[in-house]
Amino acid sequence: MGPRWKGKGAEAKALAEPMSEIVSQLQSSLTRSDSQGLLSGCSVLLEAGAEQTELLNRSCFGRPVITAEKDKQWFQLSMEEAFYLFHSLGCLKIVGEDNHLKNDEELWQYMKSRRETFPDFYMAYSHLRIKNWVVRSGSQYGVDFVAYRHHPALVHSEYAVLVFSEENENANGRLRVWSDFDCTIRLCGSVAKTLLVIHINKNGHGATTPLCLKKYSVEERTITRWSAEQCREVQTPETSSKLHVCRAGSIGSSFRCNVF
């Protein structure tokens, strides 16, 4: 299932403005302004100027927060978004509820305390972001994330993402039995998305510090319903050999598992 662009000229606009360049501009802008986010429960609040507001919107980080302050714009970042800007891009400082700047270790422990599966979800989020996919919450589709090739205003999301790990295989409560696969795949099909399962392998390392992320590996699998056109047994008069047609996935090193 390929990209579904929204309107004429959307693909050309996306090619002219690669997401990698937009994120790089955001990184530079936040670094120059010495931006600081404020921890607030399971999210981070960020005050943005006019330039940063435009770049945050274009790069799809956070969601605008409506306030009574006409001269200020605030954005609410998810924990994965905030830690990506803080840890991976190094362009955002984060202040705790005690008004002190958090270091890597402190912020990591805080976010783990808020959600046990944060290390797995962050690894999956950063894995897709590094590949220049736009990653948003997938709660409206009953999945962990949805992944877009570019800005959601230009293209529909292609992947519905579920995150698993060796330690928390069923932490998200999905795909426990065969009927779960069938229901999830049918849902993805009804909204024209491919189910992408991201499995985080910690390779014997825990999640005590963010340094452990360098030891983790990621395995991708795209899962679709069985199709007679994609996987069939063909027999010709010239040969009695059997041909099985299976197609590879299209994201990173993923491969497709046809569900019968």
Side-chain angles (χ1 to χ4, degrees), residues 174-195:
R174 302 179 182 92
L175 308 188
R176 297 189 181 193
V177 295
W178 193 252
S179 59
D180 289 346
F181 274 96
D182 192 43
C183 291
T184 303
I185 294 169
R186 283 180 181 273
L187 173 61
C188 291
S190 68
V191 291
K193 302 185 194 323
T194 298
L195 177 61

Side-chain angles (χ1 to χ4, degrees), residues 40 43-48 53 56-57 61-70 72-78:
S40 177
S43 62
V44 172
L45 298 177
L46 174 64
E47 182 183 347
T53 294
L56 285 164
N57 283 323
F61 277 96
R63 298 187 182 279
V65 178
I66 299 176
T67 67
E69 300 175 282
K70 296 181 179 180
K72 293 182 180 180
Q73 176 64 66
W74 289 84
F75 280 78
Q76 184 179 40
L77 303 170
S78 69

Side-chain angles (χ1 to χ4, degrees), residues 117-170:
T117 56
F118 170 75
D120 304 324
F121 278 55
Y122 175 73
M123 187 66 188
Y125 177 90
S126 62
H127 173 76
L128 293 172
R129 266 292 184 177
I130 288 170
K131 291 186 175 186
N132 295 313
W133 288 86
V134 169
V135 187
R136 305 298 271 178
S137 170
S139 57
Q140 63 180 331
Y141 300 112
V143 294
D144 299 319
F145 299 114
V146 286
Y148 297 80
R149 188 173 294 264
H150 205 277
H151 195 284
L154 300 178
V155 67
H156 293 278
S157 57
E158 290 180 48
Y159 294 97
V161 183
L162 287 177
V163 182
F164 292 87
S165 77
E166 56 191 358
E167 293 180 357
N168 300 301
E169 192 65 45
N170 287 318

Side-chain angles (χ1 to χ4, degrees), residues 1 158-160 181 185 193-198 219-225 247-259:
M1 188 180 299
E158 290 180 48
Y159 294 97
F181 274 96
I185 294 169
K193 302 185 194 323
T194 298
L195 177 61
L196 173 64
V197 175
I198 293 185
E219 183 181 85
E220 303 170 350
R221 290 192 181 95
T222 55
I223 305 176
T224 60
R225 287 184 60 80
R247 299 179 182 176
S250 59
I251 181 167
S253 58
S254 64
F255 58 91
R256 175 171 295 168
C257 301
N258 286 317
V259 178

